[in-house]
Amino acid sequence: MTTAEQTNPKEATGSPPDRGEVLLDVQDIAKNFGGLRAVDHCSLTVRRGTITGLIGPNGAGKTTVFNNITGFIAPDSGRILFQGIDITGLRPDQIFAHKLCRTFQIPREHGSMSVLENLMLVPTQQIGEHIWNAWFRRGAVRRQEEQNRDKALEVLEYLELTHVQDEYAANLSGGQKKLLELGRTLMVDPELVLLDEPAAGVNRSLLKRIVTNIRHLSSERGITFLLIEHDMNTVMNLCDPVIVMSEGRKLVEGPPEEVRSNQSVLEAYLGGQYAAAES
C-alpha cells in the first residue's frame, strides 16, 4: 500500500458514516517530545451520538491525542474544537467544565474515600468549598450536598455499585474501579466521554457490564464516546466508526466491518487474529 493510499481513508474504506453533527473536531494537531514526534499532523472528527473507536499499535500516538484533547498536554500546533468552541490549550478543569470528560487506563480513584464520596466530590462549583458559606449558608450547603448525594446514589444504582457505596475505593476490583471512573463522568452529565482502554485488566463478566453501560448511555442518554482499546472484540462489537492511527497520523476510518477487512489493518494492527479467522 502506498503512502498516499494509507493517508486517504476514503480510498481505503469509504467515507465515514454521517451520524450527526461534528461534536469534536481535531484539526492537524502535532506534538513533539524532544526529537520524537508523537502526533504528526493528525486530524479526526467525532460525531454526536456515536461510539467511536481509536485503535493502533503501541506508540501510534493515541494516548497523546487524548491528552491533547483533554488539556493534559497542549499540542504544539493545530486546533481542537468542541461543539464549535476552540478548546486548544485550555486547562483540564476548563475543558471538563465544557462537559468533555475522560477516564484513564489506570483508574485514578481517591482510595481513602468511599465510593459514594468519590462521586460526590466530582460536581464543580460546590458552595461548601468556601469556608464562609460553611459558616453563613449552612442550609444552602446542606441542600446542595443532598442533591449531589442523590445523584451519586442514582449513578451507583445505574452501574450496579450500590453494594459497595460505603467501601473504600482502593478496595474495589479493577473492573469496579473502571465502573467508578465511568460513574464519575456521569456526575456532570457529559456530552463526550473519552475512555482510555476500558477493557484493560477487567474480567469478562464486568467487561460485559461496562460495554452494556456504554451502549445504554449512548442510546438512552445521548452521550457520545471516543475510546482507545486494544481488545479488538470489544472494538468491533461496540464501535462505529473505527479510526486507526499509525505513526501519529490517522491511517484509516470507517465502519468496523470495513476496517476489519482492510488487509493493511489486519496485518499491521490486529495481529493476524482476524486474518486467521477469515482464512
Side-chain angles (χ1 to χ4, degrees):
M1 195 177 217
T2 67
T3 301
E5 289 172 329
Q6 288 179 333
T7 55
N8 190 334
K10 291 189 177 182
E11 290 183 8
T13 62
S15 300
D18 185 0
R19 297 295 188 83
E21 65 175 309
V22 172
L23 187 63
L24 176 70
D25 188 6
V26 177
Q27 301 178 353
D28 197 38
I29 62 170
K31 181 62 186 180
N32 296 319
F33 296 102
L36 172 67
R37 172 152 290 188
V39 180
D40 188 11
H41 297 284
C42 179
S43 297
L44 58 87
T45 59
V46 175
R47 293 187 177 275
R48 186 181 296 277
T50 61
I51 303 173
T52 300
L54 182 62
I55 66 173
N58 290 331
K62 306 181 298 297
T63 296
T64 304
V65 167
F66 261 36
N67 288 334
N68 288 161
I69 293 170
T70 53
F72 287 84
I73 300 173
D76 296 329
S77 60
R79 292 202 309 163
I80 301 168
L81 305 180
F82 180 61
Q83 300 191 97
I85 299 170
D86 192 337
I87 62 170
T88 314
L90 294 183
R91 299 190 312 267
D93 62 298
Q94 294 172 319
I95 293 173
F96 181 80
H98 284 281
K99 297 186 179 295
L100 193 165
C101 306
R102 74 170 294 178
T103 67
F104 295 86
Q105 179 183 353
I106 301 175
R108 299 187 177 187
E109 76 284 351
H110 298 282
S112 61
M113 301 177 70
S114 73
V115 170
L116 181 61
E117 289 168 339
N118 266 262
L119 296 186
M120 293 179 63
L121 187 66
V122 173
T124 59
Q125 298 181 340
Q126 297 194 43
I127 58 177
E129 294 175 354
H130 302 287
I131 191 168
W132 50 86
N133 287 332
W135 288 343
F136 302 113
R137 301 181 61 195
R138 293 181 182 179
V141 171
R142 183 171 59 253
R143 285 191 296 273
Q144 188 180 60
E145 286 184 349
E146 289 173 352
Q147 291 171 355
N148 290 338
R149 179 183 174 85
D150 289 344
K151 187 173 183 65
L153 289 171
E154 176 189 341
V155 169
L156 290 174
E157 183 175 2
Y158 182 84
L159 298 176
E160 300 179 27
L161 288 176
T162 53
H163 62 292
V164 294
Q165 69 182 51
D166 296 320
E167 183 65 71
Y168 285 124
N171 295 337
L172 299 182
S173 70
Q176 289 172 329
K177 288 180 180 180
K178 290 291 180 76
L179 285 169
L180 177 58
E181 284 258 293
L182 181 58
R184 288 164 66 180
T185 71
L186 299 182
M187 289 297 294
V188 293
D189 300 316
E191 293 286 344
L192 173 63
V193 177
L194 277 57
L195 302 173
D196 193 348
E197 297 198 41
V202 179
N203 67 51
R204 304 313 293 181
S205 176
L206 277 176
L207 176 57
K208 185 179 296 185
R209 281 174 54 189
I210 291 171
V211 168
T212 298
N213 283 325
I214 293 170
R215 284 201 179 106
H216 286 172
L217 290 168
S218 176
S219 62
E220 296 174 4
R221 301 195 183 186
I223 299 174
T224 303
F225 290 91
L226 172 64
L227 65 95
I228 294 172
E229 187 51 68
H230 287 289
D231 184 325
M232 289 300 105
N233 286 323
T234 298
V235 171
M236 295 301 165
N237 290 321
L238 179 63
C239 301
D240 188 2
V242 175
I243 299 170
V244 184
M245 283 189 67
S246 175
E247 298 180 349
R249 291 173 175 257
K250 183 173 77 172
L251 173 66
V252 167
E253 177 179 357
E257 62 274 11
E258 292 187 8
V259 171
R260 175 174 174 168
S261 63
N262 183 286
Q263 193 60 38
S264 66
V265 175
L266 291 173
E267 293 173 356
Y269 305 109
L270 303 187
Q273 56 181 309
Y274 285 95
E278 294 189 359
S279 62

